[in-house]
Amino acid sequence: ATVAAPVFAQDAPTLNWRLASSFPKVLDTLFGASEQFAKQISDMSGGKFNIRTFPAGEIVPPLAVLDAVQKNTIEMGHSPAYYYFGKDPILCFDTAVPFGLNARQMNGWMYDGDGMKLMRDVFKAYDVVNFPMGNTGCQMGGWFRNEIKTVADLKGLKFRTAGFAGEVLSRLGVVPQQLAAGDIYPALEKGTLDAVEFVGPYDDQKFGFAKVAKHYYYPGWWEGGAQVSLYVNAGEYQKLPESYKAMIDVASRSTNVTLLARYDNRNAAALKNLIGQGAVLHQFPRPVLEASWDAATLVYAEMSAKDPKFKAVHDNYMGYRDAQVPWFRVAEGSYDGFVSSMLQKKK
Amino acid sequence: ATVAAPVFAQDAPTLNWRLASSFPKVLDTLFGASEQFAKQISDMSGGKFNIRTFPAGEIVPPLAVLDAVQKNTIEMGHSPAYYYFGKDPILCFDTAVPFGLNARQMNGWMYDGDGMKLMRDVFKAYDVVNFPMGNTGCQMGGWFRNEIKTVADLKGLKFRTAGFAGEVLSRLGVVPQQLAAGDIYPALEKGTLDAVEFVGPYDDQKFGFAKVAKHYYYPGWWEGGAQVSLYVNAGEYQKLPESYKAMIDVASRSTNVTLLARYDNRNAAALKNLIGQGAVLHQFPRPVLEASWDAATLVYAEMSAKDPKFKAVHDNYMGYRDAQVPWFRVAEGSYDGFVSSMLQKKK
């Protein structure tokens, strides 16, 4: 006969953890996601598992969150892995890569495809257990002082971007610039910067870019659906009771869907406001998009040739995209397209 | 001075609840969602909050789940509210209505717009607290024995569908038929049924429709993103400790994103298999879609004129759609369209 294991007090220990976000308070969606996660964990554990959240720079610089979790300076972090492009480009597959998966496809790959297993393997080298915890949806291409009419217009363009996008765009003559959020506006005003990509309408409207660089381009082809992840120090994670491990998994998924819902809900109104403030919408010309696609293909080939681990994740991820996109075109694509066309007719 | 409240044993009582699903076991995605939810709650509560899940018909018939939760025969149910179109069409806004929101827009409306508040008000009349807990994404238009080339081809068509779609399609001459899943195939074979709409490739492939009605149409314009909800008996819910209430909210959101990820991941391969088995893909001709749009507009106007409550939810929901669609066309739409066109070129 078996007896149910007795429930000991230590099955629900009181814990006080810290979470460092890579995002400032002003980005209430992204920083707010970690706050929501911490509240859910506290509520579900009856106030026993407490996580204090810190915005970018308060206890850890925004680009040092992965390091801090690895060193166990903090138990948890919330960050987009493409911030660590310099460590290893393979990390970018946890966030977004040029012409990669959109938000729903990313969830499909992570939650029901090979994505979670592959990215867990990648993060193991950093002593981190990762959980998808938010997505911005497809971002905008950014704000430009002058129109981009041809591929040649990219030549010498001082563009605030970084990581994978910077690498690809540099092949087309762009000069990528890394600048903290607060420095962008003055640089655009002075002309030391020609263009900036940030996130999308809801976040962008907080910075007033429309006043100095009114040409607002889409799509942000380097971030078709940018995922942000929760990092947990692997050693600390292993010590947790199973119930707390489950709470982290469940709350991270909950926060994932809620953050995307917030962006989707708020971007629509923000875009309208921005247009009211003088923003002029443009789609990148097709030759510019095609040149970017070709440049990205080249960069992927170079990186794959250099690193078999990169190649393995790249091939799985892009194979997933190639299998998913034809299906998304059928029901979703035709539905969205038809509704959109009827609403334009109505006006 | 204040003292932290002591944690009493009853803060985490042992509970054994039952959840009736409207879905059979064979639909492993939809029924699996309630199983996943129950497992998450059990894991997070250290095995104290137990929810036993029952597939359609085992303890409650699929169309009686809402009633059973209302009467507290069972504490929980998992069901698409449009099954209860006969009680009140307003319930359909919790699932999907013709030419309504897609899956991401639905999450935006529910989680960050007015949707949750409005639908909670609707379900209050049934003594139910509702939580979004799954989405199928845009469904297919269904399987047809003969091609649909003009609006006239809908006249007299014996089509397995129900609820709102049936109401709209009947205005175009369709004769809606309500049939349980197991009866569809023989009816198609005998010719007592001309066409059937079910879900999408992953679920549809289990029934072999391609063999008797090979014309597979898209999009399912009556389900641009069908949401399934968790129902909790309101009286039982109020008795729960706050920690269990939080677990229900968080696990329902987690299950919501996970179910959609499963559908998205699995539909792509299933569609390929179906085409291999002889399915012939068609988009509904534009005049058919436009006639359906006009018929839906008429039905909405009639229902709104009859019932101010319906009108209030309808206007909020459709106003949300009208504000969201132009934004979704910009970044998401152009991104998806470009990637799709490049992959077609590659082939």
Side-chain angles (χ1 to χ4, degrees), chain B residues 29-98:
Chain B
T29 39
L30 284 162
F31 179 66
S34 57
E35 291 182 302
Q36 188 206 31
F37 168 77
K39 186 181 182 317
Q40 290 180 335
I41 297 281
S42 172
D43 289 350
M44 293 194 293
S45 66
K48 288 183 185 170
F49 189 1
N50 299 295
I51 300 162
R52 236 179 112 192
T53 53
F54 296 90
E58 216 164 90
I59 55 170
V60 176
L63 302 179
V65 168
L66 180 57
D67 279 342
V69 178
Q70 180 175 12
K71 288 180 200 147
N72 207 11
T73 312
I74 45 167
E75 294 88 357
M76 284 179 162
H78 190 224
S79 200
Y82 63 7
Y83 278 11
Y84 314 105
F85 175 77
K87 284 184 192 292
D88 190 341
I90 201 173
L91 286 159
C92 300
F93 290 107
D94 192 61
T95 312
V97 295

Side-chain angles (χ1 to χ4, degrees), chain A residues 100 112 138 265 329 332 340, chain B residues 112 138 265-266 329 332 340:
Chain A
D112 205 49
C138 186
N265 182 44
R329 187 166 55 231
E332 293 288 337
S340 173
Chain B
D112 204 50
C138 186
N265 182 44
R266 297 171 192 193
R329 189 165 53 230
E332 293 287 339
S340 174

Side-chain angles (χ1 to χ4, degrees), chain B residues 3 35 37 42 46 55 100 104 118 128 162 171 179-180 194 204 215 236 245 265 267 271 288 329 335 347:
Chain B
V3 175
E35 291 182 302
F37 168 77
S42 172
R104 277 177 55 179
L118 291 169
V128 156
R171 309 296 172 104
L179 276 175
D194 301 311
D204 291 6
H215 302 289
E236 295 298 324
K245 285 184 189 169
N265 182 44
N267 274 329
L271 182 64
V288 170
R329 189 165 53 230
Y335 183 76
K347 277 194 283 198

Side-chain angles (χ1 to χ4, degrees), chain A residues 126-173:
Chain A
Y126 302 91
D127 299 319
V128 157
V129 183
N130 57 298
F131 299 84
M133 195 162 101
N135 201 304
T136 62
C138 186
Q139 300 195 1
M140 291 291 286
W143 301 88
F144 293 71
R145 284 157 48 99
N146 301 306
E147 277 185 68
I148 301 297
K149 292 185 172 167
T150 67
V151 180
D153 291 337
L154 296 175
K155 200 141 184 103
L157 190 87
K158 296 186 292 284
F159 186 39
R160 190 261 180 189
T161 188
F164 228 122
E167 182 63 36
V168 171
L169 283 163
S170 70
R171 307 296 172 104
L172 301 171

Side-chain angles (χ1 to χ4, degrees), chain A residues 8 22 38 88 91 109 117 126 134 146 187 204 206 209 220 234 238 243-244 267 269 290 293 319 327-328 336:
Chain A
F8 294 113
S22 284
D88 190 341
L91 286 159
W109 188 60
K117 194 199 158 305
Y126 302 91
N146 301 306
D204 291 9
K206 295 171 180 165
F209 302 138
Q238 292 316 330
S243 58
Y244 287 6
N267 274 328
E290 292 199 4
W293 176 282
W327 156 242
F328 270 85
D336 289 346

Side-chain angles (χ1 to χ4, degrees), chain A:
Chain A
T2 58
V3 175
V7 177
F8 294 113
Q10 63 266 35
D11 280 350
T14 296
L15 293 179
N16 291 296
W17 277 23
R18 297 189 302 171
L19 182 157
S21 171
S22 284
F23 307 106
K25 262 203 175 129
V26 63
L27 298 179
D28 59 337
T29 39
L30 284 162
F31 180 65
S34 58
E35 292 182 302
Q36 188 207 30
F37 168 77
K39 184 180 184 316
Q40 291 180 334
I41 297 280
S42 172
D43 289 349
M44 293 194 294
S45 66
K48 288 182 184 170
F49 189 0
N50 300 294
I51 299 161
R52 235 179 110 193
T53 52
F54 296 90
E58 215 164 271
I59 55 170
V60 176
L63 301 179
V65 168
L66 180 57
D67 280 342
V69 178
Q70 181 175 12
K71 289 180 198 146
N72 207 10
T73 311
I74 46 167
E75 295 88 358
M76 283 179 162
H78 190 224
S79 200
Y82 64 7
Y83 277 12
Y84 314 105
F85 175 77
K87 283 184 193 294
D88 190 341
I90 201 172
L91 286 159
C92 299
F93 291 106
D94 193 60
T95 312
V97 296
F99 304 107
L101 306 174
N102 69 20
R104 278 176 56 179
Q105 291 158 1
M106 188 69 182
N107 285 338
W109 188 60
M110 292 300 294
Y111 289 140
D112 205 49
D114 299 328
M116 187 75 94
K117 194 199 158 305
L118 290 169
M119 294 320 300
R120 285 268 167 99
D121 281 350
V122 167
F123 278 103
K124 206 174 266 177
Y126 302 91
D127 299 319
V128 157
V129 183
N130 57 298
F131 299 84
M133 195 162 101
N135 201 304
T136 62
C138 186
Q139 300 195 1
M140 291 291 286
W143 301 88
F144 293 71
R145 284 157 48 99
N146 301 306
E147 277 185 68
I148 301 297
K149 292 185 172 167
T150 67
V151 180
D153 291 337
L154 296 175
K155 200 141 184 103
L157 190 87
K158 296 186 292 284
F159 186 39
R160 190 261 180 189
T161 188
F164 228 122
E167 182 63 36
V168 171
L169 283 163
S170 70
R171 307 296 172 104
L172 301 171
V174 168
V175 188
Q177 311 280 321
Q178 213 162 353
L179 275 176
D183 300 332
I184 299 171
Y185 188 91
L188 276 173
E189 209 175 20
K190 271 190 295 181
T192 54
L193 200 60
D194 299 312
V196 53
E197 62 97 7
F198 202 66
V199 184
Y202 180 73
D203 290 333
D204 291 9
Q205 69 182 349
K206 295 171 180 165
F207 295 88
F209 302 138
K211 273 176 279 176
V212 279
K214 69 177 178 185
H215 302 289
Y216 198 23
Y217 275 87
Y218 63 89
W221 47 260
W222 46 90
E223 299 176 82
Q227 177 174 284
V228 184
S229 285
L230 173 76
Y231 304 154
V232 187
N233 176 273
E236 295 299 324
Y237 180 77
Q238 292 316 330
K239 286 188 254 169
L240 290 177
E242 293 307 315
S243 58
Y244 287 6
K245 285 183 188 168
M247 286 179 196
I248 290 173
D249 179 52
V250 177
S252 68
R253 289 172 189 246
S254 161
T255 303
N256 194 3
V257 66
T258 308
L259 178 59
L260 183 59
R262 285 187 183 165
Y263 268 117
D264 286 346
N265 182 44
R266 298 173 192 193
N267 274 328
L271 182 64
K272 240 177 138 176
N273 289 344
L274 285 168
I275 291 169
Q277 287 163 28
V280 183
L281 268 185
H282 303 272
Q283 185 164 2
F284 282 123
R286 190 157 178 108
V288 170
L289 289 173
E290 292 199 4
S292 305
W293 176 282
D294 292 342
T297 305
L298 194 69
V299 172
Y300 287 134
E302 289 174 10
M303 288 179 176
S304 293
K306 248 193 284 185
D307 179 3
K309 278 189 201 159
F310 181 94
K311 183 179 188 312
V313 176
H314 168 273
D315 290 0
N316 185 286
Y317 176 100
M318 289 301 181
Y320 192 82
R321 179 198 67 180
D322 294 358
Q324 288 293 315
V325 167
W327 156 242
F328 270 85
R329 187 166 55 231
V330 173
E332 293 288 337
S334 69
Y335 183 77
D336 289 346
F338 177 73
V339 171
S340 173
S341 73
M342 291 305 283
L343 294 182
Q344 284 181 283
K345 224 172 84 171
K346 229 172 71 171
K347 276 193 286 198

